Amino acid sequence: MVKIGNISLPEFPLLLAPMEDVSDPPFRAVCKDNGADMMYTEFISSEGLIRDAIKSRRKLDIFEYERPVGIQIFGGDEDSLAMAAKIVEVTNPDLLDINFGCPVKKVACRGAGAGVLKDIDLMVRLTSAVVKSTSLPVTVKTRLGWDDETKNIEEVAERLQDVGIKALAIHGRTRTQMYKGEADWTLIGKVKNNPRIQIPIFGNGDIDSPEKAVEYKNRYGIDGIMIGRAAIGYPWIFREIKHFMETGEHHAPPTIEERIAVVRKHLKLSVQWKNDVVGINEMRRHYANYLKGLPNIKEYRNRLVTIKTEAEINDVLDEIAVKYQGYEIDKTPIELINYHEKCPVD
């Protein structure tokens, strides 16, 4: 069993990574259904919370079925982060996570997210301020460093543990890499195997198959895996990894009926949580990923992203279910989507 403060997780938990514009409550719900052991909200600006920004406040919404769930905040000012932590605590999540890993320009170049990797002393002060301001378990998600010359994650892990964090998730890239190249887990393994480190260490980056999850678990000794991009349009990744770990065999890929059922639930929750217009518009980014692998699906996909009512969308989903009934989608590698591709490094 893995412990994060007073939170008990399975022996080797699978965590859904916080992803901006992706890991909202509807998406978290379908991932939870398929085996995610713990999840996080999209990251929330500390300044936005303090200003009572509507979008930031809305991201605080969590539901009982999600637990354990963490709320993630980001910022570059000690007082603002501490105040935001107090606001978060009122909403009663299971833990509070600090984002020191977001690489996008609008965050990192304003001294927050991965931008804090340029100043480890500041990172420690920010973390300490949050820990002191809340009774919630505080965790951190970060990267190896700012660039290849500043891969200081080993020092970061020790110092953040010393100021009171209860777990650390590490993405195996630097900020300048964004999502390019292959994630380097060797330093994640070194952090985990450092005798000074007593908190759980979760690895993140490029987990796109059950085989890789097992390989990295055994090779690096980490306490669990955080999965992000591989779950976009494929929440079944969690159950497939768990099944492979338990049996050594592959779980059957989702049937067309399962795919359609998940799309329907995701759509229904999206509309309920956001409203008809926003919920339907924001679902459009998901259809291509959910339906990937079906032949000649483009016509249906084009209709799904243009029609404007939930009833019409469900009618198209009915057509897809009938047309592809019994169709077995070949097991193909899960696509790791670069959901920050429109956000330049410089």
Side-chain angles (χ1 to χ4, degrees):
M1 183 179 293
V2 173
K3 297 279 289 185
I4 301 176
N6 58 356
I7 303 168
S8 296
L9 297 173
E11 181 180 351
F12 191 80
L14 303 180
L15 284 57
L16 173 65
M19 294 178 283
E20 174 69 354
D21 293 329
V22 177
S23 52
D24 57 13
F27 179 74
R28 298 199 302 266
V30 297
C31 289
K32 184 72 172 183
D33 287 346
N34 285 281
D37 294 306
M38 189 166 75
M39 304 182 293
Y40 300 81
T41 63
E42 303 169 78
F43 68 9
I44 304 171
S45 163
S46 57
E47 300 288 348
L49 279 182
I50 294 167
R51 291 196 309 270
D52 200 21
I54 293 174
K55 183 176 181 181
S56 294
R57 290 277 179 161
R58 192 161 181 76
K59 290 180 183 179
L60 291 173
D61 288 353
I62 55 175
F63 301 89
E64 285 302 311
Y65 63 77
E66 299 185 87
R67 296 190 184 277
V69 61
I71 290 177
Q72 189 186 71
I73 59 176
F74 73 95
D77 177 79
E78 294 172 55
D79 292 338
S80 295
L81 274 175
M83 191 177 299
K86 292 181 183 297
I87 296 171
V88 166
E89 186 169 7
V90 174
T91 66
N92 195 32
D94 296 285
L95 61 84
L96 190 156
D97 189 75
I98 309 172
N99 182 310
F100 290 138
C102 180
V104 302
K105 182 178 180 180
K106 66 180 181 180
V107 175
C109 292
R110 293 181 179 176
V116 184
L117 288 165
K118 288 182 172 182
D119 188 342
I120 304 308
D121 290 339
L122 173 61
M123 181 187 288
V124 173
R125 293 197 304 271
L126 294 171
T127 304
S128 180
V130 172
V131 170
K132 291 175 180 176
S133 68
T134 180
S135 61
L136 293 169
V138 175
T139 62
V140 165
K141 183 172 189 287
T142 189
R143 290 185 169 229
L144 301 179
W146 178 261
D147 55 25
D148 285 342
E149 283 68 50
T150 57
K151 291 183 178 179
N152 43 29
I153 189 62
E154 293 175 86
E155 175 191 352
V156 165
E158 289 189 4
R159 294 184 65 182
L160 295 188
Q161 176 182 261
D162 290 346
V163 296
I165 70 166
K166 301 302 182 183
L168 177 65
I170 307 169
H171 181 97
R173 289 183 174 87
T174 63
R175 186 268 171 174
T176 55
Q177 280 183 274
M178 296 289 279
Y179 291 102
K180 297 175 182 176
E182 185 176 349
D184 178 7
W185 283 57
T186 55
L187 285 176
I188 301 176
K190 286 184 178 180
V191 171
K192 172 57 193 172
N193 292 295
N194 177 351
R196 272 209 64 206
I197 296 297
Q198 301 300 313
I199 59 174
I201 302 297
F202 302 115
N204 173 234
D206 294 355
I207 297 298
D208 57 2
S209 69
E211 293 93 337
K212 186 176 285 188
V214 171
E215 176 190 352
Y216 283 24
K217 171 182 181 290
N218 295 335
R219 184 188 301 179
Y220 300 108
I222 31 98
D223 295 289
I225 288 175
M226 180 177 280
I227 297 169
R229 295 176 295 153
I232 299 176
Y234 204 83
W236 305 279
I237 183 69
F238 297 100
R239 78 173 185 187
E240 291 183 0
I241 290 174
K242 287 185 172 182
H243 184 79
F244 190 74
M245 286 181 171
E246 292 170 2
T247 68
E249 299 176 353
H250 286 284
H251 193 290
T255 63
I256 186 63
E257 290 79 12
E258 287 177 298
R259 288 176 181 257
I260 295 299
V262 166
V263 174
R264 289 191 201 279
K265 178 169 184 175
H266 195 162
L267 170 66
K268 179 181 178 180
L269 293 175
S270 186
V271 168
Q272 288 177 349
W273 185 60
K274 298 170 185 176
N275 67 45
D276 288 356
V277 175
V278 177
I280 287 171
N281 286 345
E282 293 193 358
M283 264 302 291
R284 291 172 176 172
R285 71 184 67 154
H286 294 284
Y287 296 126
N289 299 311
Y290 277 128
L291 302 174
K292 182 184 178 185
L294 292 172
N296 305 312
I297 195 66
K298 184 176 180 181
E299 173 196 345
Y300 293 103
R301 193 173 67 237
N302 288 342
R303 290 167 62 191
L304 287 171
V305 299
T306 55
I307 52 184
K308 298 180 179 180
T309 70
E310 187 177 358
E312 289 176 297
I313 294 170
N314 277 307
D315 287 343
V316 175
L317 293 175
D318 287 340
E319 292 181 42
I320 294 172
V322 171
K323 179 177 178 63
Y324 294 97
Q325 185 176 14
Y327 184 85
E328 294 185 7
I329 299 176
D330 291 335
K331 185 67 177 177
T332 57
I334 296 169
E335 180 183 0
L336 292 175
I337 298 160
N338 185 354
Y339 68 104
H340 282 324
E341 63 186 345
K342 295 180 181 179
C343 302
V345 174
D346 299 317

